Amino acid sequence: MTDPESPAVTPPAGALRRAAPALLGYAAVRALGLAVLAVWSAADGTSAHRLLSERWDSLWYTRVAALGYGYEVRLPDGDVHSNLAFFPLLPWLERFGHAVSPLSYADAGLLVAALASLAAAWGIFAVADLVHGRRAGVCAVLVWAVVPIGVVQSMAYSESLFTALAAWSLYAVLRDRWLTAGLLAVFAGLTRPVGIAVVAALWVAAITSFVGERRHGGSTAGTYGAHAWRRALAMIIAPLGAAGYVLWVGHRTGRGPFGYLDVQAGWRNGFDGGYAFGRFVAEKFTSFPSALAGAALAAGVVLILWLYVTGVRQGQPPALLVYTGIVVALALCASSYFGSKPRLLMPAFPLLFPLARALARLRPSRSALVLGGLAAASAVYGAFWLNGSGPP
């Protein structure tokens, strides 16, 4: 359901002016987070730059950018960690940035993350503005910025890049710009496995639109035909990114369509419907100290489900609900790397729209106070987290 105050189609300059408060607020939150991280890291004798660009998954991405695919690590327990698990768009962009500038692969990754995070913020604003209005759009961006693990948005990881592509693809779907949506879905599918969520959202929206036009007689024959072929072409091209990479991995490993699943199994990562995660949470209740963590995890899952149901009740478009539902399902039902689940949920930005609407109804001074406090807490937590266990 589109908010009556949502914008009409505007030129880029006008759209940028409309989004400016959200983008400026987002940049301020990220700057605060990076400043706290720099101070904390210096006091801890570590390098904020290294934490952001040269640890955990960022190392795997830069190895792909520098050396291509084929690198793997064999662990003592027999597991094989292959860099084929990492989709190629971010390494391609890192390689391009290194080729056209003096930046290292790691620093090119940081630049991509910085630009992509701003693009993601703008895309989130555009979607929320269209669905719920401008104030809710600004609040949605700021809530996304202040999530506890928001510092990942500034790391040489693929979350910001994927969220930007997903948000703008969904915006294009909501605007009936089918070819743009399909092309962005291709790139989203080359960024992360969860790109299938963008494809599914596009397919559902296209089929719903097609059925609706047929049921109501469509418009003129020429306009109906133009819309129909654009939708059909978008549905065809949307899965090419994800499917192309998965099939290429299958060919390279000699396992056909199952090759990528074998690669993920080497990382002990798979889809088990949430059984392993549920057991992990349940085991936390075996002793008192860990029971607090178990209660927090259970409360977090309940909150996610409540936000999703609230989005349904508030009339979010089917494309957003399908996208969010798949992102959440894939994040919560993966069988390994439980510490990474908050990071995997980061692209599910429509979950935040109910919170954004609630903040938008407050007086500006109160919403600013709430968001300012959350921004400070997020900055401190991000610095503590990266100087500790960090994101798997």
Side-chain angles (χ1 to χ4, degrees), residues 3-48:
D3 189 279
E5 295 182 359
S6 295
V9 177
T10 55
L16 180 58
R17 284 195 298 271
R18 186 174 180 86
L23 297 180
L24 291 173
Y26 177 79
V29 172
R30 289 273 41 85
L32 174 63
L34 293 175
V36 173
L37 175 64
V39 172
W40 190 300
S41 300
D44 201 43
T46 58
S47 165

Side-chain angles (χ1 to χ4, degrees), residues 45-369:
T46 58
S47 165
H49 176 270
R50 179 170 175 268
L51 292 174
L52 292 170
S53 64
E54 298 179 12
R55 288 189 71 186
W56 304 294
D57 286 6
S58 58
L59 281 176
W60 288 90
Y61 284 118
T62 55
R63 285 193 186 107
V64 174
L67 304 173
Y69 285 104
Y71 176 83
E72 62 183 31
V73 176
R74 294 184 177 272
L75 303 182
D77 62 3
D79 289 343
V80 178
H81 289 184
S82 168
N83 65 1
L84 290 169
F86 296 88
F87 276 49
L89 185 57
L90 177 56
W92 286 348
L93 293 174
E94 289 177 340
R95 183 178 296 175
F96 175 78
H98 173 71
V100 301
S101 75
L103 294 175
S104 67
Y105 293 110
D107 287 339
L110 286 180
L111 178 61
V112 170
L115 297 176
S117 67
L118 287 171
W122 192 356
I124 291 169
F125 170 81
V127 174
D129 183 20
L130 184 64
V131 176
H132 295 303
R134 189 184 188 192
R135 286 195 65 188
V138 173
C139 290
V141 171
L142 296 178
V143 172
W144 189 68
V146 303
V147 295
I149 53 150
V151 69
V152 172
Q153 297 161 15
S154 299
M155 297 179 68
Y157 271 44
S158 60
E159 272 72 19
S160 291
L161 178 61
F162 176 78
T163 304
L165 293 167
W168 283 109
S169 181
L170 291 169
Y171 177 77
V173 164
L174 297 177
R175 284 294 200 186
D176 292 330
R177 297 171 184 170
W178 297 105
L179 296 183
T180 299
L183 184 61
L184 290 170
V186 172
F187 289 118
L190 287 169
T191 306
R192 296 188 64 81
V194 75
I196 61 173
V198 184
V199 176
L202 186 151
W203 279 6
V204 166
I207 292 170
T208 302
S209 180
F210 177 79
V211 171
E213 285 190 356
R214 289 292 297 269
R215 181 176 299 165
H216 297 95
S219 51
T220 64
T223 303
Y224 174 78
H227 281 303
W229 80 259
R230 288 191 181 97
R231 279 196 299 266
L233 183 57
M235 293 178 71
I236 292 170
I237 67 173
L240 294 182
Y245 181 68
V246 168
L247 291 175
W248 178 81
V249 171
H251 174 74
R252 185 180 177 105
T253 59
R255 286 283 294 158
F258 302 102
Y260 187 76
L261 296 179
D262 290 344
V263 169
Q264 287 285 7
W267 287 80
R268 296 195 177 230
N269 198 18
F271 187 89
D272 65 357
Y275 172 77
F277 182 51
R279 187 175 63 183
F280 173 77
V281 174
E283 289 174 351
K284 294 292 183 182
F285 291 94
T286 57
S287 63
F288 173 72
S290 64
L292 297 177
L297 288 170
V301 172
V302 171
L303 175 61
I304 289 167
L305 297 178
W306 177 81
L307 288 172
Y308 185 79
V309 171
T310 303
V312 174
R313 291 175 175 173
Q314 291 180 347
Q316 285 189 17
L320 298 187
L321 296 174
V322 169
Y323 167 78
T324 305
I326 294 176
V327 173
V328 170
L330 291 177
L332 295 183
C333 297
S335 59
S336 189
Y337 296 103
F338 305 116
S340 66
K341 292 189 183 297
R343 173 172 65 86
L344 299 179
L345 286 165
M346 188 176 295
F349 63 89
L351 282 177
L352 304 176
F353 287 0
L355 300 177
R357 290 188 66 182
L359 284 169
R361 288 193 292 267
L362 297 177
R363 290 204 299 265
S365 58
R366 289 188 177 180
S367 59
L369 183 63

Side-chain angles (χ1 to χ4, degrees), residues 364-385:
S365 58
R366 289 188 177 180
S367 59
L369 183 63
V370 171
L371 289 167
L374 291 174
S378 176
V380 171
Y381 179 76
F384 166 77
W385 190 47

